[in-house]
Amino acid sequence: MKLPEGRLLRSRVVSDPRTVLADALDRGVTGYAVLEPQGSLLLDDDGRGVLTFEGGVPVVAYHTGSDRGGPPALADLAAGGPYRLDLYGVRRDSLAAVHDRESFRVPPGMAAERLAGDQSLADRTREAAPTDRRVDRTPAEGDDAGDRDVGAVEAFLDDERKIAAIREQAREEAQERAEEWGFGDVA
């Protein structure tokens, strides 16, 4: 994905992607955010997420490590923080080519729900979206609202590295708890 050079609006480390989503919405940003998880077990070292905004409402999601766009890119980015965040502002017409990639588009409230777990922010984002984008589904999902989450879930479950990393982390945490509770010698 080729992004236009933008004017840097904000650059910092944040613990929660909600920060950038709320900031972009409140400021009505047209531009993009680059989110890079720091030290995540679940993503490649070079994996970054890109979210574009129009009037503060997310339009496109893309993950550089997995080379996936749309809801699957949000699944790739949904690892724990902290995140290195760079938010850029651009002219609305400079994102037209990026926003034309239907497979990269995300419904308005999906980023707030999946990345921040914030239903209130998701609802505010849907309300701020243009009327033709207020329905939370992508064109490829058809008319069944139940299909909305299937793409991201399937994408996550198909990534064996992520599943293996989660299992390993769970084993380590269980082993630590068992030792703390005095169950380390139990076979």
Side-chain angles (χ1 to χ4, degrees):
M1 173 192 308
K2 184 165 171 69
L3 293 167
E5 188 173 330
R7 179 175 45 93
L8 184 63
L9 302 174
R10 183 179 205 177
S11 180
R12 62 183 253 196
V13 174
V14 297
S15 60
D16 184 348
R18 183 192 187 291
T19 304
V20 70
L21 298 170
D23 189 34
L25 182 61
D26 293 343
R27 294 167 74 171
V29 170
T30 294
Y32 58 92
V34 179
L35 290 160
E36 183 174 3
Q38 301 291 306
S40 173
L41 284 174
L42 303 179
L43 295 174
D44 295 333
D45 290 337
D46 63 345
R48 291 184 212 135
V50 176
L51 288 171
T52 68
F53 300 92
E54 191 167 306
V57 177
V59 179
V60 163
Y62 177 75
H63 189 269
T64 63
S66 65
D67 193 31
R68 298 192 304 180
L74 292 177
D76 293 337
L77 189 58
Y83 297 86
R84 167 83 185 167
L85 157 71
D86 293 318
L87 180 62
Y88 297 90
V90 298
R91 288 189 345 257
R92 183 175 306 254
D93 62 341
S94 63
L95 286 173
V98 174
H99 289 173
D100 284 346
R101 305 245 350 231
E102 289 292 324
S103 63
F104 286 9
R105 291 177 76 95
V106 292
M110 187 178 280
E113 290 169 342
R114 302 239 173 114
L115 299 180
D118 189 331
Q119 190 60 48
S120 173
L121 179 59
D123 293 341
R124 280 190 343 151
T125 304
R126 280 185 204 93
E127 289 171 17
T131 307
D132 63 331
R133 290 201 57 230
R134 286 194 183 159
V135 175
D136 243 6
R137 64 176 186 177
T138 55
E141 292 173 340
D143 292 330
D144 183 5
D147 289 343
R148 183 178 317 149
D149 296 329
V150 172
V153 171
E154 285 177 346
F156 178 80
L157 292 174
D158 284 343
D159 194 330
E160 292 179 21
R161 281 190 350 236
K162 285 185 182 181
I163 300 298
I166 289 170
R167 285 184 178 144
E168 182 61 29
Q169 185 177 8
R171 272 190 211 102
E172 290 172 7
E173 289 174 6
Q175 181 72 31
E176 287 173 15
R177 275 196 205 99
E179 289 173 7
E180 286 173 14
W181 295 341
F183 296 123
D185 296 332
V186 178

